[in-house]
Amino acid sequence: MNDARYMRSAIELAKRGTGWVNPNPMVGAVIVKDGRVIGQGYHEQCGRPHAERNALANCDEPTAGATLYVTLEPCCHTGRTPPCTEAVQHGGITRVVVGSTDPNPLVAGQGIEALRGHGIAVIEGVERKACDDLNRSFFHFIQRGTPYVVMKYAMTLDGKICTSSGKSRWITGDVARRRVHEDRLRNSAIMVGVGTVLVDDPMLTCRLEQARNPLRVICDTNLRTPATANVVTTTNEAPTIIVTSITDIDRHQPYRNAGCEVLVIPRIAGHIDLRALMAALGQRQVDSLLLEGGSTLNWSALRSGVVHKVQAYIAPKLFGGSGKTPVGGPGVDEPGAAFRLSPPVVTALGDDILLESEVIECLPES
């Protein structure tokens, strides 16, 4: 029996839940009997049945004696839905192949042990890296309670995110920009600073068909966001949180009247305390955040230690001049004090390339 092949099918099923299951994990399941796939399913939306139950419900013949392939360890507790381990047991499944173990303290190996306790053979770790990659943000969120933050920017080969006049539309091509919208769908929230709002007046929505828009988070220490900005006037399309250190309720009111939430966070070193903001967003069940800020916010986020991954879109263009670079601020004094990243994963996107690296060492903020 080709366990890896069936697990890869389950992974592809899991991806169909992208953007709809947060803060739950993406999970896919395939049921095989006598060398044939007899049922499959995936977690479609937060609060709805899990992948295992959907796969069992979609079977076109009895499942007694079958093998279940599932990308994440089956749950063994009652949450929004009943335990999947019970459904697997009652379905007569005799063998379960698991990709990732679940770090959720309510599961954390207990699901596998529950299955084995009922005489079901369990094989762990098949296509584990690919299964783990599906749910980096979930694993981070369930263990730390704060969003998994991806810092994204587009730049030219000479490291510019805009021209000397401040113009940046468009640095990358259509293929790369579509990938950005796919990531907006994947993440629960998107965050920019007030400088981006003042210069670009962005919508910060996902422009894919039948997509969900992320929560928009605007870091605005001194409350300078115009009441006419797109992120303020379109809260019927996507929710917006204005994050500020201004406590004057009267200054909050125009934004509240427009449907925005105003969140007051203390400042540190002259800017929003981003660690406190991440904790507040985690309490709102924001498990993942795409940071599309300018150079000032990017530096602050790195310096605060809240960035976990960097996405650098690079276009084969040269701007020259005094255009901004992706990360501003005072910078580091010595090369040895640099923020260290993992070796990048390289993806070609039309004429552009995408480099993706995990942050492996950050400087503590003083």
Side-chain angles (χ1 to χ4, degrees), residues 219-241:
C219 284
D220 187 359
T221 306
N222 297 307
L223 211 53
R224 297 187 294 141
T225 299
T228 56
N230 281 323
V231 292
V232 176
T233 61
T234 60
T235 54
N236 60 319
E237 297 180 39
T240 299
I241 297 179

Side-chain angles (χ1 to χ4, degrees), residues 280-298:
L281 292 176
Q283 291 174 359
R284 288 164 168 76
Q285 298 297 293
V286 175
D287 69 327
S288 51
L289 184 146
L290 186 63
L291 172 58
E292 293 195 23
S295 60
T296 300
L297 182 56
N298 286 346

Side-chain angles (χ1 to χ4, degrees), residues 77-106:
H77 66 287
T78 299
R80 292 186 179 94
T81 59
C84 288
T85 51
E86 291 183 1
V88 172
Q89 175 194 350
H90 294 156
I93 299 292
T94 55
R95 183 171 180 264
V96 175
V97 180
V98 175
S100 299
T101 53
D102 191 341
N104 185 341
L106 296 174

Side-chain angles (χ1 to χ4, degrees), residues 19-358:
W20 298 103
V21 300
N22 309 60
N24 282 358
M26 292 186 285
V27 184
V30 174
I31 298 175
V32 177
K33 186 174 182 179
D34 300 327
R36 297 174 293 107
V37 174
I38 63 170
Q40 56 187 19
Y42 65 99
H43 185 32
E44 299 173 2
Q45 192 167 344
C46 184
R48 293 187 179 178
H50 290 181
E52 299 93 323
R53 289 183 176 272
N54 283 333
L56 288 164
N58 291 334
C59 282
D60 51 17
E61 62 181 84
T63 56
T67 294
L68 167 68
Y69 295 85
V70 62
T71 57
L72 184 68
E73 176 183 1
C75 66
C76 54
H77 66 287
T78 299
R80 292 186 179 94
T81 59
C84 288
T85 51
E86 291 183 1
V88 172
Q89 175 194 350
H90 294 156
I93 299 292
T94 55
R95 183 171 180 264
V96 175
V97 180
V98 175
S100 299
T101 53
D102 191 341
N104 185 341
L106 296 174
V107 185
Q110 297 176 70
I112 289 172
E113 289 307 310
L115 294 173
R116 286 175 173 157
H118 286 94
I120 298 172
V122 180
I123 309 300
E124 301 178 53
V126 174
E127 295 290 312
R128 178 161 190 167
K129 183 181 184 304
C131 291
D132 286 351
D133 287 344
L134 278 173
N135 290 305
R136 290 293 177 194
S137 59
F138 168 74
F139 292 164
H140 173 91
F141 178 71
I142 203 68
Q143 292 175 302
R144 302 187 186 182
T146 58
Y148 182 82
V149 177
V150 177
M151 186 177 82
K152 164 262 169 186
Y153 54 82
M155 69 179 188
T156 60
L157 270 177
D158 56 343
K160 305 296 185 181
I161 61 172
C162 64
T163 64
S164 298
S165 62
K167 297 178 181 177
S168 59
R169 295 183 180 177
W170 296 103
I171 291 176
T172 54
D174 291 342
V175 179
R177 295 204 298 275
R178 179 178 175 83
R179 170 61 185 264
V180 171
H181 285 282
E182 291 172 353
D183 283 332
R184 287 184 178 182
L185 173 63
R186 183 172 293 108
N187 288 272
S188 294
I190 179 172
M191 185 169 80
V192 300
V194 65
T196 297
V197 174
L198 292 173
V199 172
D200 295 334
D201 193 20
M203 284 288 291
L204 304 179
T205 53
C206 179
R207 298 184 182 94
L208 303 177
E209 291 184 8
Q210 298 181 333
R212 169 201 57 82
N213 285 321
L215 169 69
R216 301 177 294 196
V217 180
I218 313 302
C219 284
D220 187 359
T221 306
N222 297 307
L223 211 53
R224 297 187 294 141
T225 299
T228 56
N230 281 323
V231 292
V232 176
T233 61
T234 60
T235 54
N236 60 319
E237 297 180 39
T240 299
I241 297 179
I242 308 291
V243 184
T244 183
S245 296
I246 300 298
T247 58
D248 185 346
I249 299 299
D250 290 339
R251 291 189 60 185
H252 298 174
Q253 205 55 49
Y255 306 106
R256 296 187 192 278
N257 290 343
C260 300
E261 178 185 352
V262 178
L263 176 61
V264 177
I265 297 290
R267 70 178 70 201
I268 182 172
H271 61 76
I272 295 290
D273 183 340
L274 295 177
R275 293 182 189 175
L277 173 57
M278 293 305 112
L281 292 176
Q283 291 174 359
R284 288 164 168 76
Q285 298 297 293
V286 175
D287 69 327
S288 51
L289 184 146
L290 186 63
L291 172 58
E292 293 195 23
S295 60
T296 300
L297 182 56
N298 286 346
W299 169 258
S300 296
L302 284 167
R303 195 75 174 88
S304 299
V306 303
V307 178
H308 306 104
K309 184 177 183 178
V310 176
Q311 290 182 325
Y313 291 83
I314 304 176
K317 300 175 182 178
L318 302 171
F319 281 173
S322 58
K324 292 182 178 181
T325 58
V327 181
V332 300
D333 292 329
E334 300 288 341
F339 297 93
R340 296 181 58 223
L341 308 177
S342 66
V345 175
V346 183
T347 305
L349 298 167
D351 293 335
D352 310 309
I353 61 171
L354 169 62
L355 304 181
E356 297 181 280
S357 294
E358 301 287 329

